[in-house]
Amino acid sequence: MSKIKPSQGAPYARIMGVGGYRPTRVVPNEVILETIDSSDEWIRSRSGIATRHWASDEETVAAMSIEAAGKAIADSGITPEQIGGVIVSTVSHFKQTPAIATEIADKIGAGKPAAFDISAGCAGFGYGLTLARGMVTDGSAEYVLVIGVERLSDLTDLSDRATAFLFGDGAGAVIVGPSKEPRIGPTVWGSEGDKSETIKQTESWEAYRNGAPDKFPAITQEGQAVFRWAVFEMAKVAQQALDAAGITADDLDVFIPHQANERIIDSMVKTLKLPEHVTVARDVRTTGNTSAASIPLAMERLLATGEAKSGDTALVIGFGAGLVYAATVVTLP
């Protein structure tokens, strides 16, 4: 018989508050067209993107995260001292160590929480949310701050016609805490490493250090391959998340997919046969693809504009580099 005392966590977990931060600089397609041979019409028809936000020197990964975290904490009604865990998903924090989560935890006054970074690309928020739910239900933390943050403008090759218009910067955050009822459903997540070359960094940091590339590494992708995978495979994952939560598309109020491309979003809506009453996040139009930040930023905007409301049932799904994915059903805070 085990002598280990069982954990004393909450029966369930929920999202208690959400916050977002978008850099002050708004970049229209016209700026992108200065470096690639394209048109505003082409960019909009291919992606739905009209503008994106790019960070200034002062709007660092940490600074944007702290702003978003502060809003999420205020929205949740807790104090920073109550936070027992800080999880940050990002691919654009350029220091290998220490984790940026530790700096953020200190700057928001969280005390001495568990703090760590994860790298799961555009699925990073879903990964962080799942880890936070586990921490709350196993009793290792009562409240967990989950942040998705990116400065993808630092990793954008403005001469690459396939990707120059896609990426934006920003941070989104949520507080996950205890619940008496299930408010975060089971997560359907996974990876397909055999497709890892479809979205990748052009060169390794080691190669850059040794002078191999002639310019700073950037993110590149095989657009058509990624599109096909997202449209056909991620709709299946989204359906599996609905099944795991024990609901159907008719039970949904909101759909918040990763804001990668509006054509992908439209295709998923069609494949899932979402009813007309379901509100669909389309933050990509004015924010671009912010990778790990895109889902919480879209969630924050829907609630702020009244397009979604507290208590709504939402399906969230992230997918991207790895290739990795994560989908779950949540109750909006």
Side-chain angles (χ1 to χ4, degrees):
M1 180 179 293
S2 174
K3 297 180 180 180
I4 300 174
K5 182 180 178 180
S7 60
Q8 301 294 317
Y12 304 105
R14 63 189 175 110
I15 299 175
M16 299 176 59
V18 60
Y21 180 82
R22 293 171 177 81
T24 56
R25 183 187 178 193
V26 177
V27 180
N29 288 339
E30 286 73 19
V31 172
I32 307 299
L33 296 175
E34 294 173 3
T35 55
I36 61 171
D37 180 16
S38 187
S39 69
D40 177 65
E41 181 183 1
W42 187 89
I43 293 174
R44 289 177 187 247
S45 65
R46 291 298 180 118
S47 68
I49 298 171
T51 62
R52 73 283 293 146
H53 294 255
W54 283 355
S56 66
D57 290 344
E58 291 74 28
E59 291 168 317
T60 63
V61 167
M64 293 190 293
S65 296
I66 291 166
E67 290 290 333
K71 294 176 182 178
I73 293 168
D75 192 43
S76 68
I78 68 168
T79 64
E81 293 82 4
Q82 293 176 276
I83 295 173
V86 177
I87 303 171
V88 177
S89 178
T90 184
V91 299
S92 47
H93 171 52
F94 289 161
K95 283 188 178 180
Q96 195 73 36
T97 191
I100 194 65
T102 58
E103 178 184 340
I104 294 166
D106 177 64
K107 292 291 178 59
I108 65 173
K112 299 180 180 180
F116 56 95
D117 298 351
I118 59 175
S119 176
C122 305
F125 176 75
Y127 274 52
L129 185 65
T130 303
L131 294 172
R133 181 190 64 198
M135 293 168 72
V136 170
T137 57
D138 77 9
S140 62
E142 185 174 12
Y143 302 103
V144 180
L145 169 63
V146 180
I147 300 171
V149 57
E150 301 293 1
R151 272 182 55 120
L152 294 181
S153 58
D154 291 335
L155 288 168
T156 299
D157 179 357
L158 292 178
S159 66
D160 181 358
R161 189 173 184 270
T163 61
F165 59 90
L166 287 176
F167 303 122
D169 303 335
V174 299
I175 295 292
V176 177
S179 175
K180 294 180 181 179
E181 298 178 345
R183 301 293 187 184
I184 302 175
T187 300
V188 177
W189 56 353
S191 64
E192 297 184 32
D194 60 316
K195 301 178 181 65
S196 62
E197 291 294 302
T198 55
I199 305 175
K200 64 180 182 179
Q201 185 171 305
T202 51
E203 298 287 348
S204 70
W205 297 121
E206 182 182 26
Y208 181 69
R209 179 191 64 187
N210 294 334
D214 58 0
K215 55 185 176 182
F216 196 74
I219 296 174
T220 187
Q221 68 176 27
E222 297 175 15
Q224 287 302 313
V226 172
F227 183 87
R228 288 192 298 270
W229 175 76
V231 168
F232 296 109
E233 299 303 321
M234 291 306 97
K236 297 176 186 177
V237 171
Q239 183 60 55
Q240 290 169 14
L242 291 174
D243 295 340
I247 67 172
T248 68
D250 289 336
D251 298 314
L252 281 179
D253 300 304
V254 184
F255 179 43
I256 311 177
H258 164 49
Q259 301 294 291
N261 179 306
E262 193 164 32
R263 290 172 63 209
I264 292 174
I265 294 171
D266 288 339
S267 294
M268 292 183 73
V269 168
K270 183 177 180 180
T271 301
L272 289 167
K273 299 179 180 178
L274 296 185
E276 289 187 7
H277 75 262
V278 176
T279 297
V280 180
R282 299 183 185 279
D283 193 44
V284 66
R285 294 172 178 172
T286 56
T287 305
N289 179 345
T290 55
S291 188
S294 78
I295 290 175
L297 278 174
M299 183 185 295
E300 184 262 351
R301 173 160 282 173
L302 289 175
L303 289 167
T305 59
E307 296 174 81
K309 63 183 185 299
S310 175
D312 278 353
T313 299
L315 169 63
V316 299
I317 179 170
F319 44 86
L323 293 169
V324 294
Y325 54 87
T328 188
V329 174
V330 304
T331 301
L332 295 183

